[in-house]
Amino acid sequence: AQSVAQPEDQVNVAEGNPLTVKCTYSVSGNPYLFWYVQYPNRGLQFLLKYITGDNLVKGSYGFEAEFNKSQTSFHLKKPSALVSDSALYFCAVRDWTGGFKTIFGAGTRLFVKA
Amino acid sequence: DVKVTQSSRYLVKRTGEKVFLECVQDMDHENMFWYRQDPGLGLRLIYFSYDVKMKEKGDIPEGYSVSREKKERFSLILESASTNQTSMYLCVTTMNTEAFFGQGTRLTVV
């Protein structure tokens, strides 16, 4: 079965430090991977995606993610965290076997402290 | 700009009531999905539809049904609301690799 795991409920980081939010996946076939962000009282917003090509994907707001096929991971990273990055982050994978469904991880809450 | 509109941001309903959550998209997309979002559980798929009058069960369809009479509108129905259906409900539409989200409906069942 297709699945996505975000092993950390919460990540705390100081402003200016690098941040990593972890994601691992299990899919059959080539994965389509996504990161979304949800700010308080707002809808989900697209950050970035990996479909094919370069393993390092750059997205919105200075975020990037690295696709690692051998480790089946797609960790979200940012070199220097901002307080405004504090939000809920979801990793997701497109499930083609069941027909275009998107499977989401449980979410990781990021707190960036000033 | 792509628009996915959910009819209500907040709803409070009584146990046993029949509840309708409406979603309208203006992109002529075929794929539409209903998820519920709960803390620590992420987004879980309730039902989805690939075309008018067509529906498929997601991972947690029990207690829900859907209706897709027109391409732009996908309705989620709680046949008899229960307190464990208190949640945030998200409507999503997709085209190729892009997903577009509604603002969500926070439903409280009392």
Side-chain angles (χ1 to χ4, degrees), chain A residues 32 34 36 38 41 43 49 51 88 90 94 98-102 104-106, chain B residues 9 33 35 37 40-43 45 48 50 90 94 96-99 101-103:
Chain A
Y32 284 22
F34 304 83
Y36 296 94
Q38 187 177 42
N41 299 315
K49 65 183 177 185
I51 305 300
L88 186 57
F90 290 99
R94 186 65 56 85
F100 313 113
K101 294 184 291 185
T102 302
F104 291 84
Chain B
R9 288 295 302 275
F33 306 79
Y35 290 84
Q37 181 183 356
L41 297 176
L43 279 70
L45 182 61
F48 57 103
Y50 295 142
L90 287 171
T94 64
N96 298 323
T97 61
E98 302 292 332
F101 298 85
Q103 283 293 92

PDB file of all heavy atoms in Angstrom, chain A residues 32 34 36 38 41 43 49 51 88 90 94 98-102 104-106, chain B residues 9 33 35 37 40-43 45 48 50 90 94 96-99 101-103:
ATOM      1  N   TYR A  32       5.476  10.497  -7.259  1.00  0.00           N
ATOM      2  CA  TYR A  32       5.293  11.930  -7.405  1.00  0.00           C
ATOM      3  C   TYR A  32       5.151  12.454  -5.977  1.00  0.00           C
ATOM      4  O   TYR A  32       4.214  12.068  -5.272  1.00  0.00           O
ATOM      5  CB  TYR A  32       4.036  12.251  -8.203  1.00  0.00           C
ATOM      6  CG  TYR A  32       4.151  12.042  -9.690  1.00  0.00           C
ATOM      7  CD1 TYR A  32       5.103  11.198 -10.247  1.00  0.00           C
ATOM      8  CD2 TYR A  32       3.283  12.686 -10.565  1.00  0.00           C
ATOM      9  CE1 TYR A  32       5.195  11.010 -11.615  1.00  0.00           C
ATOM     10  CE2 TYR A  32       3.373  12.504 -11.929  1.00  0.00           C
ATOM     11  CZ  TYR A  32       4.320  11.672 -12.459  1.00  0.00           C
ATOM     12  OH  TYR A  32       4.397  11.488 -13.813  1.00  0.00           O
ATOM     13  N   PHE A  34       5.271  15.623  -2.945  1.00  0.00           N
ATOM     14  CA  PHE A  34       4.866  17.015  -2.754  1.00  0.00           C
ATOM     15  C   PHE A  34       5.098  17.427  -1.301  1.00  0.00           C
ATOM     16  O   PHE A  34       5.042  16.606  -0.390  1.00  0.00           O
ATOM     17  CB  PHE A  34       3.368  17.195  -3.056  1.00  0.00           C
ATOM     18  CG  PHE A  34       2.953  16.736  -4.421  1.00  0.00           C
ATOM     19  CD1 PHE A  34       2.687  15.390  -4.657  1.00  0.00           C
ATOM     20  CD2 PHE A  34       2.824  17.637  -5.460  1.00  0.00           C
ATOM     21  CE1 PHE A  34       2.294  14.951  -5.917  1.00  0.00           C
ATOM     22  CE2 PHE A  34       2.439  17.202  -6.720  1.00  0.00           C
ATOM     23  CZ  PHE A  34       2.174  15.867  -6.944  1.00  0.00           C
ATOM     24  N   TYR A  36       3.371  20.521   1.204  1.00  0.00           N
ATOM     25  CA  TYR A  36       2.398  21.589   1.359  1.00  0.00           C
ATOM     26  C   TYR A  36       2.584  22.209   2.736  1.00  0.00           C
ATOM     27  O   TYR A  36       3.029  21.559   3.679  1.00  0.00           O
ATOM     28  CB  TYR A  36       0.968  21.050   1.242  1.00  0.00           C
ATOM     29  CG  TYR A  36       0.637  20.480  -0.111  1.00  0.00           C
ATOM     30  CD1 TYR A  36       0.781  19.123  -0.363  1.00  0.00           C
ATOM     31  CD2 TYR A  36       0.175  21.294  -1.134  1.00  0.00           C
ATOM     32  CE1 TYR A  36       0.481  18.589  -1.606  1.00  0.00           C
ATOM     33  CE2 TYR A  36      -0.133  20.772  -2.380  1.00  0.00           C
ATOM     34  CZ  TYR A  36       0.027  19.421  -2.606  1.00  0.00           C
ATOM     35  OH  TYR A  36      -0.271  18.904  -3.839  1.00  0.00           O
ATOM     36  N   GLN A  38       0.599  24.718   5.748  1.00  0.00           N
ATOM     37  CA  GLN A  38      -0.659  25.303   6.224  1.00  0.00           C
ATOM     38  C   GLN A  38      -0.341  26.275   7.340  1.00  0.00           C
ATOM     39  O   GLN A  38       0.067  25.884   8.434  1.00  0.00           O
ATOM     40  CB  GLN A  38      -1.606  24.205   6.716  1.00  0.00           C
ATOM     41  CG  GLN A  38      -2.990  24.706   7.072  1.00  0.00           C
ATOM     42  CD  GLN A  38      -3.901  23.572   7.484  1.00  0.00           C
ATOM     43  OE1 GLN A  38      -3.511  22.670   8.209  1.00  0.00           O
ATOM     44  NE2 GLN A  38      -5.138  23.605   7.018  1.00  0.00           N
ATOM     45  N   ASN A  41      -5.107  29.144  10.453  1.00  0.00           N
ATOM     46  CA  ASN A  41      -6.382  29.651   9.936  1.00  0.00           C
ATOM     47  C   ASN A  41      -6.358  29.916   8.442  1.00  0.00           C
ATOM     48  O   ASN A  41      -7.122  30.748   7.946  1.00  0.00           O
ATOM     49  CB  ASN A  41      -6.803  30.931  10.676  1.00  0.00           C
ATOM     50  CG  ASN A  41      -6.995  30.671  12.152  1.00  0.00           C
ATOM     51  OD1 ASN A  41      -7.617  29.677  12.530  1.00  0.00           O
ATOM     52  ND2 ASN A  41      -6.443  31.521  12.979  1.00  0.00           N
ATOM     53  N   GLY A  43      -5.767  27.951   4.340  1.00  0.00           N
ATOM     54  CA  GLY A  43      -5.779  26.694   3.606  1.00  0.00           C
ATOM     55  C   GLY A  43      -4.386  26.204   3.293  1.00  0.00           C
ATOM     56  O   GLY A  43      -3.394  26.877   3.537  1.00  0.00           O
ATOM     57  N   LYS A  49       7.426  20.247  -5.522  1.00  0.00           N
ATOM     58  CA  LYS A  49       7.126  18.883  -5.944  1.00  0.00           C
ATOM     59  C   LYS A  49       8.328  18.253  -6.620  1.00  0.00           C
ATOM     60  O   LYS A  49       9.185  18.955  -7.175  1.00  0.00           O
ATOM     61  CB  LYS A  49       5.930  18.856  -6.903  1.00  0.00           C
ATOM     62  CG  LYS A  49       6.206  19.558  -8.225  1.00  0.00           C
ATOM     63  CD  LYS A  49       4.971  19.565  -9.122  1.00  0.00           C
ATOM     64  CE  LYS A  49       5.253  20.339 -10.412  1.00  0.00           C
ATOM     65  NZ  LYS A  49       4.032  20.469 -11.243  1.00  0.00           N
ATOM     66  N   ILE A  51       8.854  15.339  -9.536  1.00  0.00           N
ATOM     67  CA  ILE A  51       8.228  14.446 -10.512  1.00  0.00           C
ATOM     68  C   ILE A  51       9.311  13.574 -11.149  1.00  0.00           C
ATOM     69  O   ILE A  51       9.224  12.347 -11.177  1.00  0.00           O
ATOM     70  CB  ILE A  51       7.466  15.238 -11.588  1.00  0.00           C
ATOM     71  CG1 ILE A  51       6.437  16.178 -10.935  1.00  0.00           C
ATOM     72  CG2 ILE A  51       6.804  14.293 -12.582  1.00  0.00           C
ATOM     73  CD1 ILE A  51       5.399  15.475 -10.107  1.00  0.00           C
ATOM     74  N   LEU A  88       2.294  24.321   9.816  1.00  0.00           N
ATOM     75  CA  LEU A  88       2.119  22.871   9.735  1.00  0.00           C
ATOM     76  C   LEU A  88       2.498  22.430   8.327  1.00  0.00           C
ATOM     77  O   LEU A  88       1.987  22.984   7.346  1.00  0.00           O
ATOM     78  CB  LEU A  88       0.663  22.531  10.044  1.00  0.00           C
ATOM     79  CG  LEU A  88       0.249  21.074  10.164  1.00  0.00           C
ATOM     80  CD1 LEU A  88       1.065  20.345  11.215  1.00  0.00           C
ATOM     81  CD2 LEU A  88      -1.241  20.996  10.505  1.00  0.00           C
ATOM     82  N   PHE A  90       2.966  19.376   5.437  1.00  0.00           N
ATOM     83  CA  PHE A  90       2.510  18.048   5.036  1.00  0.00           C
ATOM     84  C   PHE A  90       3.313  17.559   3.837  1.00  0.00           C
ATOM     85  O   PHE A  90       3.466  18.271   2.843  1.00  0.00           O
ATOM     86  CB  PHE A  90       1.033  18.074   4.621  1.00  0.00           C
ATOM     87  CG  PHE A  90       0.084  18.298   5.749  1.00  0.00           C
ATOM     88  CD1 PHE A  90      -0.436  19.554   6.000  1.00  0.00           C
ATOM     89  CD2 PHE A  90      -0.304  17.235   6.565  1.00  0.00           C
ATOM     90  CE1 PHE A  90      -1.322  19.763   7.042  1.00  0.00           C
ATOM     91  CE2 PHE A  90      -1.190  17.439   7.604  1.00  0.00           C
ATOM     92  CZ  PHE A  90      -1.694  18.708   7.842  1.00  0.00           C
ATOM     93  N   ARG A  94       1.541  11.064  -4.687  1.00  0.00           N
ATOM     94  CA  ARG A  94       0.430  10.766  -5.597  1.00  0.00           C
ATOM     95  C   ARG A  94       0.391   9.271  -5.828  1.00  0.00           C
ATOM     96  O   ARG A  94       1.384   8.667  -6.222  1.00  0.00           O
ATOM     97  CB  ARG A  94       0.611  11.523  -6.918  1.00  0.00           C
ATOM     98  CG  ARG A  94      -0.537  11.412  -7.886  1.00  0.00           C
ATOM     99  CD  ARG A  94      -1.786  12.062  -7.339  1.00  0.00           C
ATOM    100  NE  ARG A  94      -1.606  13.451  -6.958  1.00  0.00           N
ATOM    101  CZ  ARG A  94      -1.707  14.483  -7.790  1.00  0.00           C
ATOM    102  NH1 ARG A  94      -1.949  14.279  -9.061  1.00  0.00           N
ATOM    103  NH2 ARG A  94      -1.562  15.702  -7.343  1.00  0.00           N
ATOM    104  N   GLY A  98      -4.436   3.613  -7.427  1.00  0.00           N
ATOM    105  CA  GLY A  98      -5.865   3.745  -7.161  1.00  0.00           C
ATOM    106  C   GLY A  98      -6.484   4.837  -7.996  1.00  0.00           C
ATOM    107  O   GLY A  98      -7.644   5.147  -7.831  1.00  0.00           O
ATOM    108  N   GLY A  99      -5.673   5.434  -8.866  1.00  0.00           N
ATOM    109  CA  GLY A  99      -6.202   6.463  -9.744  1.00  0.00           C
ATOM    110  C   GLY A  99      -6.094   7.868  -9.196  1.00  0.00           C
ATOM    111  O   GLY A  99      -7.088   8.432  -8.785  1.00  0.00           O
ATOM    112  N   PHE A 100      -4.891   8.409  -9.155  1.00  0.00           N
ATOM    113  CA  PHE A 100      -4.690   9.844  -8.945  1.00  0.00           C
ATOM    114  C   PHE A 100      -5.016  10.348  -7.544  1.00  0.00           C
ATOM    115  O   PHE A 100      -5.150  11.531  -7.334  1.00  0.00           O
ATOM    116  CB  PHE A 100      -5.514  10.657  -9.951  1.00  0.00           C
ATOM    117  CG  PHE A 100      -5.380  10.160 -11.353  1.00  0.00           C
ATOM    118  CD1 PHE A 100      -6.455   9.584 -12.006  1.00  0.00           C
ATOM    119  CD2 PHE A 100      -4.164  10.222 -12.016  1.00  0.00           C
ATOM    120  CE1 PHE A 100      -6.328   9.101 -13.305  1.00  0.00           C
ATOM    121  CE2 PHE A 100      -4.034   9.754 -13.312  1.00  0.00           C
ATOM    122  CZ  PHE A 100      -5.124   9.190 -13.965  1.00  0.00           C
ATOM    123  N   LYS A 101      -5.122   9.476  -6.579  1.00  0.00           N
ATOM    124  CA  LYS A 101      -5.336   9.956  -5.222  1.00  0.00           C
ATOM    125  C   LYS A 101      -4.039  10.536  -4.677  1.00  0.00           C
ATOM    126  O   LYS A 101      -2.945  10.101  -5.033  1.00  0.00           O
ATOM    127  CB  LYS A 101      -5.772   8.805  -4.312  1.00  0.00           C
ATOM    128  CG  LYS A 101      -7.130   8.234  -4.647  1.00  0.00           C
ATOM    129  CD  LYS A 101      -7.522   7.176  -3.648  1.00  0.00           C
ATOM    130  CE  LYS A 101      -6.654   5.952  -3.783  1.00  0.00           C
ATOM    131  NZ  LYS A 101      -7.102   4.864  -2.890  1.00  0.00           N
ATOM    132  N   THR A 102      -4.161  11.495  -3.779  1.00  0.00           N
ATOM    133  CA  THR A 102      -3.004  12.035  -3.067  1.00  0.00           C
ATOM    134  C   THR A 102      -3.081  11.565  -1.625  1.00  0.00           C
ATOM    135  O   THR A 102      -4.100  11.736  -0.966  1.00  0.00           O
ATOM    136  CB  THR A 102      -2.975  13.564  -3.130  1.00  0.00           C
ATOM    137  OG1 THR A 102      -2.945  13.977  -4.499  1.00  0.00           O
ATOM    138  CG2 THR A 102      -1.738  14.107  -2.426  1.00  0.00           C
ATOM    139  N   PHE A 104      -1.527  11.879   2.110  1.00  0.00           N
ATOM    140  CA  PHE A 104      -0.819  12.855   2.928  1.00  0.00           C
ATOM    141  C   PHE A 104      -0.219  12.200   4.164  1.00  0.00           C
ATOM    142  O   PHE A 104      -0.793  11.266   4.729  1.00  0.00           O
ATOM    143  CB  PHE A 104      -1.771  13.964   3.371  1.00  0.00           C
ATOM    144  CG  PHE A 104      -2.240  14.855   2.264  1.00  0.00           C
ATOM    145  CD1 PHE A 104      -3.319  14.492   1.467  1.00  0.00           C
ATOM    146  CD2 PHE A 104      -1.592  16.055   1.999  1.00  0.00           C
ATOM    147  CE1 PHE A 104      -3.747  15.300   0.437  1.00  0.00           C
ATOM    148  CE2 PHE A 104      -2.022  16.878   0.969  1.00  0.00           C
ATOM    149  CZ  PHE A 104      -3.103  16.501   0.194  1.00  0.00           C
ATOM    150  N   GLY A 105       0.915  12.747   4.591  1.00  0.00           N
ATOM    151  CA  GLY A 105       1.446  12.368   5.889  1.00  0.00           C
ATOM    152  C   GLY A 105       0.638  13.023   6.996  1.00  0.00           C
ATOM    153  O   GLY A 105      -0.273  13.818   6.739  1.00  0.00           O
ATOM    154  N   ALA A 106       1.000  12.701   8.238  1.00  0.00           N
ATOM    155  CA  ALA A 106       0.241  13.197   9.386  1.00  0.00           C
ATOM    156  C   ALA A 106       0.530  14.660   9.679  1.00  0.00           C
ATOM    157  O   ALA A 106      -0.204  15.294  10.428  1.00  0.00           O
ATOM    158  CB  ALA A 106       0.534  12.348  10.613  1.00  0.00           C
TER     159      ALA A 106
ATOM    160  N   ARG B   9     -17.294  28.290   6.111  1.00  0.00           N
ATOM    161  CA  ARG B   9     -16.027  28.167   6.833  1.00  0.00           C
ATOM    162  C   ARG B   9     -16.242  27.459   8.164  1.00  0.00           C
ATOM    163  O   ARG B   9     -15.392  26.697   8.608  1.00  0.00           O
ATOM    164  CB  ARG B   9     -15.416  29.546   7.076  1.00  0.00           C
ATOM    165  CG  ARG B   9     -14.848  30.228   5.863  1.00  0.00           C
ATOM    166  CD  ARG B   9     -13.652  29.480   5.294  1.00  0.00           C
ATOM    167  NE  ARG B   9     -12.560  29.304   6.222  1.00  0.00           N
ATOM    168  CZ  ARG B   9     -11.598  30.193   6.445  1.00  0.00           C
ATOM    169  NH1 ARG B   9     -11.594  31.334   5.798  1.00  0.00           N
ATOM    170  NH2 ARG B   9     -10.622  29.941   7.299  1.00  0.00           N
ATOM    171  N   PHE B  33     -11.996  15.739  -4.660  1.00  0.00           N
ATOM    172  CA  PHE B  33     -11.753  14.901  -3.492  1.00  0.00           C
ATOM    173  C   PHE B  33     -12.281  15.591  -2.232  1.00  0.00           C
ATOM    174  O   PHE B  33     -12.231  16.821  -2.128  1.00  0.00           O
ATOM    175  CB  PHE B  33     -10.248  14.679  -3.292  1.00  0.00           C
ATOM    176  CG  PHE B  33      -9.535  14.125  -4.494  1.00  0.00           C
ATOM    177  CD1 PHE B  33      -9.182  14.945  -5.550  1.00  0.00           C
ATOM    178  CD2 PHE B  33      -9.212  12.777  -4.565  1.00  0.00           C
ATOM    179  CE1 PHE B  33      -8.509  14.444  -6.668  1.00  0.00           C
ATOM    180  CE2 PHE B  33      -8.546  12.263  -5.676  1.00  0.00           C
ATOM    181  CZ  PHE B  33      -8.202  13.098  -6.721  1.00  0.00           C
ATOM    182  N   TYR B  35     -11.454  15.417   1.867  1.00  0.00           N
ATOM    183  CA  TYR B  35     -10.611  14.928   2.939  1.00  0.00           C
ATOM    184  C   TYR B  35     -11.121  15.495   4.253  1.00  0.00           C
ATOM    185  O   TYR B  35     -11.743  16.559   4.285  1.00  0.00           O
ATOM    186  CB  TYR B  35      -9.165  15.420   2.781  1.00  0.00           C
ATOM    187  CG  TYR B  35      -8.390  14.825   1.636  1.00  0.00           C
ATOM    188  CD1 TYR B  35      -8.484  15.349   0.355  1.00  0.00           C
ATOM    189  CD2 TYR B  35      -7.514  13.759   1.848  1.00  0.00           C
ATOM    190  CE1 TYR B  35      -7.732  14.817  -0.694  1.00  0.00           C
ATOM    191  CE2 TYR B  35      -6.768  13.225   0.807  1.00  0.00           C
ATOM    192  CZ  TYR B  35      -6.885  13.763  -0.454  1.00  0.00           C
ATOM    193  OH  TYR B  35      -6.145  13.240  -1.486  1.00  0.00           O
ATOM    194  N   GLN B  37      -9.357  16.613   8.012  1.00  0.00           N
ATOM    195  CA  GLN B  37      -8.070  16.870   8.632  1.00  0.00           C
ATOM    196  C   GLN B  37      -8.230  16.874  10.136  1.00  0.00           C
ATOM    197  O   GLN B  37      -9.023  17.638  10.691  1.00  0.00           O
ATOM    198  CB  GLN B  37      -7.505  18.228   8.187  1.00  0.00           C
ATOM    199  CG  GLN B  37      -6.150  18.549   8.785  1.00  0.00           C
ATOM    200  CD  GLN B  37      -5.631  19.911   8.391  1.00  0.00           C
ATOM    201  OE1 GLN B  37      -6.244  20.631   7.603  1.00  0.00           O
ATOM    202  NE2 GLN B  37      -4.473  20.287   8.916  1.00  0.00           N
ATOM    203  N   GLY B  40      -2.644  15.228  14.200  1.00  0.00           N
ATOM    204  CA  GLY B  40      -1.902  13.990  14.341  1.00  0.00           C
ATOM    205  C   GLY B  40      -2.250  12.914  13.337  1.00  0.00           C
ATOM    206  O   GLY B  40      -1.586  11.874  13.279  1.00  0.00           O
ATOM    207  N   LEU B  41      -3.288  13.150  12.552  1.00  0.00           N
ATOM    208  CA  LEU B  41      -3.718  12.154  11.557  1.00  0.00           C
ATOM    209  C   LEU B  41      -3.555  12.657  10.130  1.00  0.00           C
ATOM    210  O   LEU B  41      -3.731  11.896   9.177  1.00  0.00           O
ATOM    211  CB  LEU B  41      -5.175  11.760  11.795  1.00  0.00           C
ATOM    212  CG  LEU B  41      -5.467  11.077  13.128  1.00  0.00           C
ATOM    213  CD1 LEU B  41      -6.969  10.831  13.276  1.00  0.00           C
ATOM    214  CD2 LEU B  41      -4.705   9.762  13.249  1.00  0.00           C
ATOM    215  N   GLY B  42      -3.249  13.907   9.974  1.00  0.00           N
ATOM    216  CA  GLY B  42      -3.089  14.459   8.646  1.00  0.00           C
ATOM    217  C   GLY B  42      -4.415  14.569   7.918  1.00  0.00           C
ATOM    218  O   GLY B  42      -5.471  14.741   8.519  1.00  0.00           O
ATOM    219  N   LEU B  43      -4.358  14.470   6.592  1.00  0.00           N
ATOM    220  CA  LEU B  43      -5.551  14.516   5.767  1.00  0.00           C
ATOM    221  C   LEU B  43      -5.903  13.092   5.350  1.00  0.00           C
ATOM    222  O   LEU B  43      -5.077  12.380   4.777  1.00  0.00           O
ATOM    223  CB  LEU B  43      -5.304  15.349   4.511  1.00  0.00           C
ATOM    224  CG  LEU B  43      -5.405  16.865   4.643  1.00  0.00           C
ATOM    225  CD1 LEU B  43      -4.250  17.424   5.458  1.00  0.00           C
ATOM    226  CD2 LEU B  43      -5.441  17.513   3.267  1.00  0.00           C
ATOM    227  N   LEU B  45      -8.576  10.637   3.205  1.00  0.00           N
ATOM    228  CA  LEU B  45      -9.476  10.713   2.065  1.00  0.00           C
ATOM    229  C   LEU B  45     -10.805  10.039   2.381  1.00  0.00           C
ATOM    230  O   LEU B  45     -10.856   8.865   2.747  1.00  0.00           O
ATOM    231  CB  LEU B  45      -8.825  10.064   0.848  1.00  0.00           C
ATOM    232  CG  LEU B  45      -9.601  10.097  -0.455  1.00  0.00           C
ATOM    233  CD1 LEU B  45      -9.844  11.538  -0.901  1.00  0.00           C
ATOM    234  CD2 LEU B  45      -8.852   9.327  -1.530  1.00  0.00           C
ATOM    235  N   PHE B  48     -13.894  10.392  -3.434  1.00  0.00           N
ATOM    236  CA  PHE B  48     -13.431  11.163  -4.563  1.00  0.00           C
ATOM    237  C   PHE B  48     -14.248  10.837  -5.802  1.00  0.00           C
ATOM    238  O   PHE B  48     -15.016   9.866  -5.827  1.00  0.00           O
ATOM    239  CB  PHE B  48     -11.932  10.981  -4.813  1.00  0.00           C
ATOM    240  CG  PHE B  48     -11.487   9.568  -5.043  1.00  0.00           C
ATOM    241  CD1 PHE B  48     -11.192   9.107  -6.310  1.00  0.00           C
ATOM    242  CD2 PHE B  48     -11.312   8.696  -3.974  1.00  0.00           C
ATOM    243  CE1 PHE B  48     -10.752   7.813  -6.524  1.00  0.00           C
ATOM    244  CE2 PHE B  48     -10.872   7.397  -4.170  1.00  0.00           C
ATOM    245  CZ  PHE B  48     -10.589   6.959  -5.445  1.00  0.00           C
ATOM    246  N   TYR B  50     -14.114  11.176 -10.284  1.00  0.00           N
ATOM    247  CA  TYR B  50     -13.380  11.483 -11.509  1.00  0.00           C
ATOM    248  C   TYR B  50     -14.264  12.052 -12.595  1.00  0.00           C
ATOM    249  O   TYR B  50     -13.784  12.421 -13.666  1.00  0.00           O
ATOM    250  CB  TYR B  50     -12.680  10.239 -12.058  1.00  0.00           C
ATOM    251  CG  TYR B  50     -11.611   9.728 -11.133  1.00  0.00           C
ATOM    252  CD1 TYR B  50     -11.420   8.356 -10.969  1.00  0.00           C
ATOM    253  CD2 TYR B  50     -10.804  10.586 -10.424  1.00  0.00           C
ATOM    254  CE1 TYR B  50     -10.441   7.883 -10.119  1.00  0.00           C
ATOM    255  CE2 TYR B  50      -9.836  10.118  -9.577  1.00  0.00           C
ATOM    256  CZ  TYR B  50      -9.653   8.768  -9.427  1.00  0.00           C
ATOM    257  OH  TYR B  50      -8.693   8.296  -8.591  1.00  0.00           O
ATOM    258  N   LEU B  90     -11.814  19.330   3.959  1.00  0.00           N
ATOM    259  CA  LEU B  90     -11.146  20.018   2.859  1.00  0.00           C
ATOM    260  C   LEU B  90     -11.569  19.422   1.524  1.00  0.00           C
ATOM    261  O   LEU B  90     -11.542  18.201   1.346  1.00  0.00           O
ATOM    262  CB  LEU B  90      -9.633  19.883   2.986  1.00  0.00           C
ATOM    263  CG  LEU B  90      -8.963  20.701   4.094  1.00  0.00           C
ATOM    264  CD1 LEU B  90      -7.516  20.311   4.236  1.00  0.00           C
ATOM    265  CD2 LEU B  90      -9.068  22.174   3.801  1.00  0.00           C
ATOM    266  N   THR B  94      -7.735  18.331  -8.582  1.00  0.00           N
ATOM    267  CA  THR B  94      -6.399  18.155  -9.157  1.00  0.00           C
ATOM    268  C   THR B  94      -6.465  18.156 -10.678  1.00  0.00           C
ATOM    269  O   THR B  94      -7.485  17.808 -11.284  1.00  0.00           O
ATOM    270  CB  THR B  94      -5.745  16.830  -8.721  1.00  0.00           C
ATOM    271  OG1 THR B  94      -6.523  15.735  -9.224  1.00  0.00           O
ATOM    272  CG2 THR B  94      -5.635  16.723  -7.224  1.00  0.00           C
ATOM    273  N   ASN B  96      -3.448  17.015 -13.505  1.00  0.00           N
ATOM    274  CA  ASN B  96      -2.070  16.524 -13.671  1.00  0.00           C
ATOM    275  C   ASN B  96      -1.386  16.462 -12.305  1.00  0.00           C
ATOM    276  O   ASN B  96      -1.867  15.782 -11.412  1.00  0.00           O
ATOM    277  CB  ASN B  96      -1.317  17.396 -14.662  1.00  0.00           C
ATOM    278  CG  ASN B  96      -1.967  17.347 -16.035  1.00  0.00           C
ATOM    279  OD1 ASN B  96      -2.455  16.318 -16.470  1.00  0.00           O
ATOM    280  ND2 ASN B  96      -2.001  18.491 -16.705  1.00  0.00           N
ATOM    281  N   THR B  97      -0.300  17.191 -12.108  1.00  0.00           N
ATOM    282  CA  THR B  97       0.411  17.113 -10.836  1.00  0.00           C
ATOM    283  C   THR B  97       0.016  18.222  -9.864  1.00  0.00           C
ATOM    284  O   THR B  97       0.554  18.306  -8.773  1.00  0.00           O
ATOM    285  CB  THR B  97       1.931  17.175 -11.062  1.00  0.00           C
ATOM    286  OG1 THR B  97       2.252  18.419 -11.696  1.00  0.00           O
ATOM    287  CG2 THR B  97       2.403  16.029 -11.938  1.00  0.00           C
ATOM    288  N   GLU B  98      -0.900  19.063 -10.246  1.00  0.00           N
ATOM    289  CA  GLU B  98      -1.267  20.194  -9.393  1.00  0.00           C
ATOM    290  C   GLU B  98      -2.501  19.856  -8.558  1.00  0.00           C
ATOM    291  O   GLU B  98      -3.436  19.227  -9.039  1.00  0.00           O
ATOM    292  CB  GLU B  98      -1.582  21.423 -10.244  1.00  0.00           C
ATOM    293  CG  GLU B  98      -0.440  21.871 -11.144  1.00  0.00           C
ATOM    294  CD  GLU B  98       0.733  22.425 -10.356  1.00  0.00           C
ATOM    295  OE1 GLU B  98       0.520  22.951  -9.250  1.00  0.00           O
ATOM    296  OE2 GLU B  98       1.861  22.312 -10.849  1.00  0.00           O
ATOM    297  N   ALA B  99      -2.481  20.293  -7.313  1.00  0.00           N
ATOM    298  CA  ALA B  99      -3.639  20.150  -6.441  1.00  0.00           C
ATOM    299  C   ALA B  99      -4.059  21.530  -5.955  1.00  0.00           C
ATOM    300  O   ALA B  99      -3.219  22.380  -5.676  1.00  0.00           O
ATOM    301  CB  ALA B  99      -3.311  19.260  -5.240  1.00  0.00           C
ATOM    302  N   PHE B 101      -6.742  23.544  -3.247  1.00  0.00           N
ATOM    303  CA  PHE B 101      -7.482  23.289  -2.021  1.00  0.00           C
ATOM    304  C   PHE B 101      -8.507  24.372  -1.750  1.00  0.00           C
ATOM    305  O   PHE B 101      -8.246  25.561  -1.967  1.00  0.00           O
ATOM    306  CB  PHE B 101      -6.519  23.257  -0.828  1.00  0.00           C
ATOM    307  CG  PHE B 101      -5.494  22.157  -0.904  1.00  0.00           C
ATOM    308  CD1 PHE B 101      -4.318  22.337  -1.614  1.00  0.00           C
ATOM    309  CD2 PHE B 101      -5.709  20.948  -0.272  1.00  0.00           C
ATOM    310  CE1 PHE B 101      -3.367  21.318  -1.688  1.00  0.00           C
ATOM    311  CE2 PHE B 101      -4.767  19.928  -0.344  1.00  0.00           C
ATOM    312  CZ  PHE B 101      -3.603  20.120  -1.050  1.00  0.00           C
ATOM    313  N   GLY B 102      -9.642  23.963  -1.236  1.00  0.00           N
ATOM    314  CA  GLY B 102     -10.561  24.917  -0.669  1.00  0.00           C
ATOM    315  C   GLY B 102     -10.051  25.396   0.675  1.00  0.00           C
ATOM    316  O   GLY B 102      -9.071  24.878   1.210  1.00  0.00           O
ATOM    317  N   GLN B 103     -10.735  26.381   1.239  1.00  0.00           N
ATOM    318  CA  GLN B 103     -10.304  26.964   2.504  1.00  0.00           C
ATOM    319  C   GLN B 103     -10.642  26.076   3.700  1.00  0.00           C
ATOM    320  O   GLN B 103     -10.132  26.289   4.779  1.00  0.00           O
ATOM    321  CB  GLN B 103     -10.942  28.341   2.695  1.00  0.00           C
ATOM    322  CG  GLN B 103     -10.279  29.430   1.864  1.00  0.00           C
ATOM    323  CD  GLN B 103      -8.867  29.713   2.327  1.00  0.00           C
ATOM    324  OE1 GLN B 103      -7.905  29.127   1.822  1.00  0.00           O
ATOM    325  NE2 GLN B 103      -8.705  30.594   3.284  1.00  0.00           N
TER     326      GLN B 103
END
